[in-house]
Amino acid sequence: MADLVQRVRDVLPSVRADLENLIRIQSVWADKARRSEVRRSAAAVSTLLSQAGFGDVRIVAEGGAPAVIARHPAPTGAPTVLLYAHHDVQPEGDHSQWLSPPFEPSERDGRLYGRGTADDKAGIATHLAAFRAHGGNPPVGVTVFVEGEEESGSPSLGRILSVHRDLLAADVIVIADSDNWSTDIPSLTVSLRGLADCVVEVATLDHGLHSGMWGGVVPDALAVLVRLLASLHDDDGNVAISGLHQEDEAHADVAYSPERVRSDTGLLDGVREIGSGSVAQRLWSKSSITVIGIDATPVAQSSNTLIPRARAKVSMRVAPGGDAAEHLAALTRHLETHAPWGAQVTVTPGDIGEPYAIEASGPVYDAARAAFRQAWGSEAVDTGVGGSIPFIAAFAEAFPEATILVTGVEDPDTQAHSINESLHLGVLEKAATAEALLLDRLG
């Protein structure tokens, strides 16, 4: 195994070069103008996997973004391991806020900056490094599945899993799209919250009115919307919607100090945490609600007018054990019944994704913990994810007998989805080493 660790180090320079080339491809599926870039990204991933030694590599698309499936057959009696990553990325936002161009990889202080460096093109790099370290001939079957629309909610994933079920069937599924406790301590993700969102629109008038002539007599829609959105939380910041599921304890037992919360989040001086219960419980085992967008008159275009209509997008995270559709129904009922002054309310449902809790025990997890221990020099901690990776529930439904491991290359400073996203290069080496060792142990 010491030789295998060294072989990972030997292949990392070429893997990093390939990763940097992938980062330069602006594979933002959410931007229709750049969908050709997503197709170019899929072609590049396909080429890399073919060059790594996979004999069966194909690009598939079932009505959505192109995904790549590469297969290396299992030796007789050996299990097959499915390695997942995604090659699409989030929109980069305002380029002026980046310290270096978002699609030109740049190294600073041991971190590689750029959109997709960690989420999730580093997942592709991890799989390449592990496979190359085995000389293209690991002791297990390996299937690599690189999706192309994860950042858009994986709308065609179900069709891919159904149509290509035989190609993707595996005994172990490794999802390389999560984070680690720190750059020195790895994590195995054992719970994930689900997602349910909607757009709520309120209306009070059939046209705008002069606010001086009618203000104080008839309500404006923006004031209604503000009061309605405020009703989603109590004064302590707990979600104030009835009928939501929550766990009494977090699925993972770790401690977040107030100092770490403030450091990891950038909480401003004087701003307090919200909600009750431990940080782990609030992050992983209780629902949360965030208003992620509002449509109303911009300040620069405002006038003394009572606004007749206003709308907002509301995003809910669903605790493991809850049903995302039922939670969306509860959110809808609340919005429809809590608008003040008789305002008309229209709720348009959006995306849902189911939460998931993993039973992180058994021989596969024993092998994973041993591989992490050797690669990182530290025991892996079980953690949850406050965000959502809805496709994990889809994998579990499609392959109920498979053991699912959720790993990743992110750390608290990665800033995935945000400006100046980055990958800690030391974490990439540890993650690739752990995966190479895992393949060896599973064989």
Side-chain angles (χ1 to χ4, degrees):
M1 286 193 177
D3 290 342
L4 184 56
V5 172
Q6 183 57 50
R7 290 199 297 273
V8 172
R9 295 194 183 107
D10 292 341
V11 302
L12 274 176
S14 65
V15 169
R16 174 176 169 177
D18 293 333
L19 171 60
E20 292 186 356
N21 287 332
L22 289 176
I23 292 165
R24 293 185 177 99
I25 302 175
Q26 301 184 24
S27 51
V28 183
W29 183 251
D31 181 357
K32 293 182 179 180
R34 288 189 279 190
R35 290 193 168 178
S36 62
E37 286 284 276
V38 180
R39 289 186 280 272
R40 187 162 75 93
S41 177
V45 171
S46 174
T47 297
L48 289 173
L49 292 169
S50 295
Q51 292 173 345
F54 286 90
D56 179 5
V57 182
R58 60 189 76 185
I59 297 175
V60 301
E62 300 301 330
V68 183
I69 301 174
R71 302 174 71 224
H72 174 80
T76 302
T80 294
V81 183
L82 174 68
L83 306 176
Y84 171 94
H86 62 87
H87 66 96
D88 65 311
V89 299
Q90 281 281 331
E92 69 277 20
D94 185 354
H95 283 222
S96 68
Q97 296 186 41
W98 287 75
L99 296 179
S100 53
F103 294 103
E104 182 54 46
S106 175
E107 181 180 350
R108 297 191 297 275
D109 299 324
R111 303 188 72 94
L112 187 65
Y113 287 81
R115 175 57 85 228
T117 49
D119 186 15
D120 183 36
K121 291 178 178 178
I124 304 169
T126 300
H127 302 332
L128 281 171
F131 196 75
R132 288 177 183 172
H134 281 281
N137 190 31
V140 293
V142 174
T143 300
V144 175
F145 176 43
V146 183
E147 191 193 354
E149 55 185 15
E150 191 276 340
E151 299 294 7
S152 297
S154 304
S156 67
L157 177 62
R159 293 190 296 274
I160 292 176
L161 293 178
S162 176
V163 173
H164 303 286
R165 179 181 178 84
D166 292 343
L167 295 177
L168 296 171
D171 303 287
V172 179
I173 300 173
V174 179
I175 308 288
D177 192 23
S178 193
D179 56 10
N180 294 287
W181 185 248
S182 70
T183 57
D184 298 313
I185 300 175
S187 294
L188 286 167
T189 299
V190 299
S191 72
L192 304 105
R193 289 194 294 191
L195 171 70
D197 64 37
C198 65
V199 173
V200 56
E201 181 173 12
V202 298
T204 57
L205 300 161
D206 62 12
H207 64 280
L209 293 173
H210 192 299
S211 63
M213 300 295 292
W214 288 105
V217 174
V218 296
D220 68 277
L222 188 54
V224 169
L225 183 63
V226 168
R227 291 172 67 99
L228 178 58
L229 297 178
S231 74
L232 296 173
H233 297 87
D234 65 20
D235 289 343
D236 292 325
N238 294 296
V239 173
I241 296 176
S242 61
L244 301 187
H245 174 79
Q246 73 174 46
E247 299 288 320
D248 292 334
E249 297 180 356
H251 286 270
D253 184 19
V254 295
Y256 270 97
S257 68
E259 293 75 21
R260 172 157 184 166
V261 172
R262 193 166 293 275
S263 173
D264 285 0
T265 63
L267 200 62
L268 297 177
D269 290 344
V271 180
R272 301 187 302 275
E273 294 179 22
I274 62 173
S276 58
S278 70
V279 174
Q281 185 185 21
R282 281 176 279 160
L283 276 180
W284 305 334
S285 301
K286 298 177 71 173
S287 295
S288 67
I289 289 183
T290 307
V291 180
I292 60 174
I294 291 180
D295 286 341
T297 306
V299 171
Q301 300 173 20
S302 62
S303 62
N304 288 317
T305 303
L306 296 171
I307 297 172
R309 293 178 177 271
R311 65 178 189 161
K313 187 168 185 177
V314 180
S315 176
M316 172 187 287
R317 300 295 172 166
V318 180
D323 180 279
E326 292 178 359
H327 279 59
L328 180 56
L331 172 60
T332 300
R333 286 193 298 271
H334 181 98
L335 292 170
E336 290 176 341
T337 58
H338 282 73
W341 308 315
Q344 297 178 8
V345 177
T346 303
V347 179
T348 303
D351 296 325
I352 61 171
E354 296 298 337
Y356 194 68
I358 298 170
E359 177 55 50
S361 61
V364 172
Y365 269 88
D366 292 343
R369 296 184 197 282
F372 274 69
R373 188 183 310 118
Q374 182 174 356
W376 288 73
S378 176
E379 295 287 345
V381 297
D382 290 355
T383 61
V385 170
S388 305
I389 311 180
F391 63 80
I392 292 179
F395 273 106
E397 181 178 359
F399 307 109
E401 301 303 318
T403 299
I404 297 177
L405 298 169
V406 183
T407 67
V409 293
E410 298 178 22
D411 69 87
D413 292 326
T414 289
Q415 295 187 195
H417 292 201
S418 186
I419 60 169
N420 298 313
E421 176 186 346
S422 68
L423 165 71
H424 189 283
L425 292 169
V427 170
L428 174 62
E429 178 178 344
K430 294 171 185 174
T433 302
E435 189 168 290
L437 292 169
L438 174 62
L439 296 180
D440 192 71
R441 290 179 179 276
L442 293 177

